[in-house]
Amino acid sequence: MVKILVLLGLFLFSGQTFPEVDYAALRKKMVETQIKARGIRDIRVLKAMEKVERHLFVPEGLRHLAYEDYPLPIGEGQTISQPYIVALMTELLSLKPSERVLEIGTGSGYQAAILAEICRQVYTIEIIPALAERAEKILAELQYKNVKVKCGDGFAGWKEFAPFDGIIVTCAPPSVPGPLLEQLAEGGRLVIPVGEQLQDLKLIQKIKGKCLEKNIIPVRFVPMTGPGVKGKGN
Ligand code: SAH
């Protein structure tokens, strides 16, 4: 008994109480077992997923779950997507380092950080002010100088900076918002979940002014909210 107490005392007061979580190792494992294993091959996407500290984008009490294979709550009834879905959507955008991308649904800011690693400029719109503020803060703390966050209804896109080489939507409207198609550059790619309960992840490419659409996989995202989807935008 005394021996146990002495050992316990040594453990508690040795200055090395509980070992730190090795987040870098968890990230590496996430990339191997969830991302590469499911067929994501784009080396720039894999590198970004291994680099960006996803645990800093989730609520503190959930950090130990940040590299698991599922979405997590981020407050305000919203979620950060499963890592594989982030990787898949990013790969589908086929972004070149010189290109500019628009994201609708900033949420935690994690997807924006991944995009900021692989292209020149990211514009991102979030409708919930508290989330927009928090994402802007963490992205600034992490020194992402090529991300511009705006609070508003992403249904209308961001005309001031259009056209975009890529547009990624991380909330689901019932049909593809017209303004997003208009703001897509010639040769541009739009990745978007569309539908109500059952949604299809679509890849839309603008080629010679025409939009070609392809269904990728069934997905489940939070719905797009705001006046635009209700037909009340301007
Ligand atoms: N990409 C995020 C996950 C976002 S969850 C991340 O990496 O964490 C979807 C987000 O879309 C939510 O935060 C929700 O508030 C936002 N959203 C819903 N409707 C929107 C709209 N019309 N315009 C902009 N953002 C919207």
Side-chain angles (χ1 to χ4, degrees), residues 5 8-9 22 47-48 59 61 67 75-76 82 119 122-123 149 151 159 167 174 186 191 195 197-198 205 213 216 226:
L5 284 176
L8 186 67
D22 187 351
K47 275 196 176 149
Y67 300 100
E76 313 286 331
Q82 177 193 14
C119 73
V122 181
Y123 303 90
V149 183
C151 185
K159 227 174 170 176
I167 302 180
E186 172 59 33
V191 178
Q197 288 300 319
L198 290 172
Q205 284 179 282
E213 192 178 306
I216 308 293

Side-chain angles (χ1 to χ4, degrees), residues 78-79 103 105-106 108 111 126-128 153-154 170 222 224-225:
Q78 306 303 320
T79 53
E103 179 193 27
T106 318
S108 68
Q111 173 77 70
E126 168 57 52
I127 204 164
I128 300 178
D153 184 359
T170 62
V222 295
M224 183 180 276
T225 59

Side-chain angles (χ1 to χ4, degrees), residues 44-59:
R44 295 167 59 240
V45 175
L46 297 173
K47 275 196 176 149
M49 298 289 298
E50 197 166 320
K51 179 174 172 194
V52 178
E53 298 185 289
R54 185 173 157 95
H55 63 279
L56 301 180
F57 293 85
V58 306

Side-chain angles (χ1 to χ4, degrees), residues 54-66 72-75 80 108 134:
R54 185 173 157 95
H55 63 279
L56 301 180
F57 293 85
V58 306
E60 246 169 86
L62 299 177
R63 285 194 174 161
H64 61 295
L65 301 176
L72 288 173
I74 53 169
I80 179 173
S108 68
R134 205 167 62 201

